[in-house]
Amino acid sequence: MRGLPEIIDDHRRRIAELERRLRSQSRIGVVTEVDAGNGTARVKLQDGDQPFLTGWIPWVEPSAGANKTHNPPSVGQQVQIASESGDLHDAVIQGSLNSDANGRPSGAGDEYVMLSVGAAKITVTGGGTAIVFSVGGYSLTLSSGGATNSGGALTHDGKDIGKTHTHGGVLSGPADTQPPN
């Protein structure tokens, strides 16, 4: 039969373990490695006394049914890790947090950046009145007023259909023109 000191010591140990697991249910760290083929990443946690590198943890995708997404985190990205039990063995990378190293792609209140990778960006602007696709200095804007492009050539099947295209064989009257040159 256990005595009161042993019972108190056991309760103290169990409470400390519960407190540790509770603190570990949600943690923030930085991605150090990515295995895109397996859908896992390793994360460096720095919220304890010493930095800690996790094992391979899966990340949550926006969709994994009939509609599938593949949106791997990148090295240096700040992420949130969640574990229902507080044990990293069942943890998942839940989402990303902007940081000094990876700031927000926009500061506008009515602009929603759906994708921003390198020089490519897809943005919904003006409360949903336009979608802008941009790569480098070129942009294509789709709105209820039509499509507008700027900063580059507009082609179709290799033919210039932008503002600099020309038509050959133009005759006055009802004749049709030849395709753009």
Side-chain angles (χ1 to χ4, degrees):
M1 175 157 219
R2 294 185 332 168
L4 185 58
E6 290 87 14
I7 292 171
I8 291 172
D9 188 48
D10 182 52
H11 284 145
R12 190 177 292 140
R13 183 190 55 76
R14 294 170 94 185
I15 289 170
E17 175 64 10
L18 289 171
E19 288 174 339
R20 183 195 66 77
R21 285 181 176 255
L22 185 61
R23 284 190 308 272
S24 294
Q25 284 182 325
S26 179
R27 304 190 53 190
I28 294 174
V30 176
V31 173
T32 60
E33 297 177 70
V34 177
D35 182 346
N38 287 317
T40 58
R42 295 185 79 185
V43 178
K44 184 177 182 181
L45 303 173
Q46 297 185 2
D47 54 354
D49 293 338
Q50 296 289 322
F52 177 78
L53 184 62
T54 69
W56 292 98
I57 300 173
W59 65 81
V60 174
E61 286 286 349
S63 186
N67 174 34
K68 295 170 180 56
T69 59
H70 177 71
N71 194 10
S74 58
V75 171
Q77 181 176 345
Q78 184 172 265
V79 294
Q80 180 179 14
I81 295 175
S83 167
E84 195 172 305
S85 70
D87 186 338
L88 290 175
H89 288 93
D90 70 352
V92 295
I93 297 171
Q94 285 229 284
S96 183
L97 299 118
N98 293 105
S99 64
D100 290 341
N102 291 293
R104 298 185 179 285
S106 174
D110 67 344
E111 182 174 86
Y112 302 90
V113 178
M114 309 307 291
L115 173 135
S116 179
V117 180
K121 190 173 178 181
I122 300 174
T123 309
V124 178
T125 62
T129 60
I131 299 174
V132 180
F133 300 87
S134 59
V135 179
Y138 177 79
S139 70
L140 173 65
T141 302
L142 304 176
S143 69
S144 61
T148 306
N149 79 303
S150 63
L154 183 60
T155 63
H156 176 73
D157 289 339
K159 298 283 186 181
D160 179 8
I161 60 170
K163 66 182 177 183
T164 60
H165 80 274
T166 60
H167 292 263
V170 176
L171 302 173
S172 59
D176 290 334
T177 64
Q178 293 178 354
N181 296 328

